[in-house]
Amino acid sequence: MTIETIFSKIIKCEINADIVYRDHLVTAFRDIEPKAPVHILIIPNILIKTINDVKPKHKKTLGHMIIIAAKIAKQEGIANNGYRLIINCNKHSGQEIFHIHMHLVGGHPLGPMLIRKK
Ligand code: AMP
């Protein structure tokens, strides 16, 4: 069953978002609760709930998400210093919205990616 999320509404312009890029495959907008000076979400225009649901037919869209992430990083002026791309999947990652989204975060030193729990 297709359960649409708030991100589908952003794609369809039914709710407001600070959209920084859009084309026929992806939409990118600023995260509403930014965790870094630049925090942008890049999402496919079609609903794919989690990375576990990715199929070979999604190859073009998923590859495009990375190409657009690099383009936006350049636009935002963070490409040279660097940034991080994150896609959460399911409970242990803390995924909250079940429409896959790539976080593009940067604009200051991000620190270690993960801290091992004791
Ligand atoms: P995740 O934990 O990977 O599922 O990330 C979901 C992200 O979506 C969080 O960083 C939220 O701050 C962000 N978010 C939730 N609702 C909105 C919204 N309406 N517009 C922009 N970002 C949102």
Side-chain angles (χ1 to χ4, degrees):
M1 196 170 66
T2 304
I3 301 172
E4 295 205 334
T5 70
I6 195 157
F7 288 175
S8 297
K9 293 194 167 124
I10 289 175
I11 293 164
K12 291 189 267 180
C13 296
E14 289 173 4
I15 62 164
N16 283 335
D18 187 355
I19 292 178
V20 297
Y21 180 88
R22 185 203 286 282
D23 66 22
H24 66 297
L25 291 177
V26 302
T27 301
F29 51 92
R30 292 189 197 279
D31 196 290
I32 205 164
E33 282 181 44
K35 316 297 186 299
V38 175
H39 187 171
I40 289 166
L41 302 175
I42 299 149
I43 67 174
N45 291 342
I46 51 160
L47 173 56
I48 308 169
K49 285 195 274 185
T50 77
I51 289 293
N52 290 338
D53 301 303
V54 168
K55 306 275 186 301
K57 68 179 178 184
H58 299 133
K59 213 174 188 172
K60 190 172 167 199
T61 301
L62 273 282
H64 193 59
M65 284 167 67
I66 294 184
I67 288 168
I68 295 309
K71 185 185 169 101
I72 295 171
K74 220 179 238 178
Q75 275 172 14
E76 295 286 320
I78 62 170
N80 285 343
N81 281 334
Y83 52 91
R84 191 169 286 155
L85 300 177
I86 304 162
I87 303 179
N88 289 321
C89 178
N90 276 343
K91 197 166 57 181
H92 281 189
S93 74
Q95 183 178 4
E96 288 172 352
I97 302 206
F98 288 82
H99 181 134
I100 61 173
H101 45 283
M102 181 182 283
H103 297 254
L104 161 60
V105 283
H108 66 190
L110 296 168
M113 188 172 70
L114 295 170
I115 297 170
R116 190 179 171 86
K117 283 189 182 159
K118 298 260 156 57

